[in-house]
């Protein structure tokens, strides 16, 4: 019962607090085009690509920024022309979200990715886990490790971040694994943001390759 309670609270907080899109003057401009929005939606993760037990989840928008001391890239020279997000959860205490952004040119997508995919992002993930994430779950979070790990061959370029933390809610403590797997192909960027109780979500790279095959 205690583990189920913690899982339910986790699912209510994970995707909003782990959002990677920033909303400040140093973020990308947005000039959305219907065709590129449609491309982003087609690229996103689909329920049929997940194992049994997963359900679609309308994740709330997060007002948090991924900027923190040591990580504040200026992306305002880039323009997003298409974007979409799809979020899913599993009753065993797992959640995953895909986010896709399309740019007016491959050159912009590449430059934006290189500007943002830096090791300093790990500090922001730790801050988000210990503040927004833990508060959203109604408990206390402690970061055990937050690092940039070796990325797989995925798309044209990829970056992988992993946080391991300890979350305590109503006297119940569990280890939480949060992953951000970001990659770029053509004019598009995509990210898989996931969290799991007791262990990371499996097959993240396989799911990433599925998305990369649809990116343009």
């Amino acid at each position: 019962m205690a583990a189920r309670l913690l899982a339910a609270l986790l699912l209510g907080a994970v995707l909003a607090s782990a959002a990677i899109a920033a909303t400040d003057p140093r973020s990308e401009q947005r000039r959305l085009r219907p065709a590129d929005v449609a491309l982003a939606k087609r690229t996103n993760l689909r329920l049929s690509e997940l194992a049994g037990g997963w359900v679609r989840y309308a994740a709330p928008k997060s007002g948090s920024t991924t900027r923190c001391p040591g990580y504040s890239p200026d992306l305002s020279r880039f323009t997003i022309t298409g974007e979409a997000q799809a979020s899913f959860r599993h009753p065993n205490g797992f959640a995953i979200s895909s986010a896709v952004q399309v740019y007016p040119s491959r050159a912009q997508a590449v430059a934006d990715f290189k500007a943002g995919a830096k090791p300093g992002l790990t500090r922001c993930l730790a801050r988000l886990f210990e503040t927004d994430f833990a508060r959203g779950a109604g408990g206390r979070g402690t970061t055990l490790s937050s690092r940039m790990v070796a990325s797989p061959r995925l798309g044209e370029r990829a970056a992988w971040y992993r946080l391991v933390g300890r979350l305590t809610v109503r006297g119940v403590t569990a280890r939480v694994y949060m992953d951000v797997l970001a990659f770029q192909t053509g004019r598009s960027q995509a990210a898989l943001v996931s969290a799991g109780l007791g262990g990371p979500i499996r097959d993240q790279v396989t799911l990433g390759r599925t998305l990369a095959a649809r990116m343009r």
Side-chain angles (χ1 to χ4, degrees):
M1 177 62 72
R4 289 176 179 236
L5 170 64
L6 192 55
L9 292 169
L10 170 68
L11 290 171
V14 57
L15 295 172
S17 63
I20 60 172
T23 55
D24 60 53
R26 293 170 67 85
S27 295
E28 298 93 337
Q29 302 176 57
R30 278 170 170 75
R31 295 174 186 163
L32 301 183
R33 304 172 183 169
D36 286 349
V37 171
L39 171 60
K41 289 180 178 179
R42 289 195 305 271
T43 302
N44 258 324
L45 187 63
R46 302 166 187 174
L47 181 60
S48 61
E49 293 165 341
L50 298 170
W54 288 88
V55 296
R56 188 80 181 244
Y57 173 58
K61 295 289 185 179
S62 172
S64 298
T65 177
T66 49
R67 300 190 186 282
C68 58
Y71 182 83
S72 184
D74 186 354
L75 307 177
S76 61
R77 65 189 183 277
F78 305 118
T79 301
I80 293 171
T81 56
E83 60 184 353
Q85 178 177 321
S87 303
F88 307 88
R89 63 184 182 181
H90 194 282
N92 289 341
F94 296 92
I96 188 167
S97 177
S98 70
V100 179
Q101 295 177 332
V102 182
Y103 295 79
S105 67
R106 177 182 174 278
Q108 277 212 28
V110 170
D112 180 279
F113 189 93
K114 290 181 176 180
K118 304 292 187 182
L121 179 60
T122 59
R123 301 186 190 119
C124 300
L125 292 178
R127 187 194 63 182
L128 286 171
F129 174 72
E130 295 175 1
T131 56
D132 291 11
F133 185 98
R135 290 194 204 110
R140 184 179 68 258
T142 302
T143 300
L144 302 178
S145 66
S146 182
R147 59 196 179 96
M148 194 173 187
V149 299
S151 59
R153 290 183 176 274
L154 186 55
E156 294 179 22
R157 52 189 47 79
W160 197 345
Y161 304 86
R162 169 162 291 176
L163 178 144
V164 181
R166 186 169 54 243
L167 179 66
T168 301
V169 180
R170 299 182 191 177
V172 181
T173 299
R175 186 162 290 203
V176 177
Y177 290 76
M178 296 177 64
D179 285 275
V180 177
L181 177 57
F183 43 100
Q184 173 267 325
T185 292
R187 294 193 297 124
S188 301
Q189 289 185 26
L192 289 174
V193 182
S194 63
L197 285 175
I201 290 178
R202 297 179 179 179
D203 300 326
Q204 293 181 71
V205 176
T206 299
L207 293 173
R209 288 184 176 134
T210 298
L211 266 64
R214 295 195 286 261
M215 294 166 71
R216 298 290 181 270

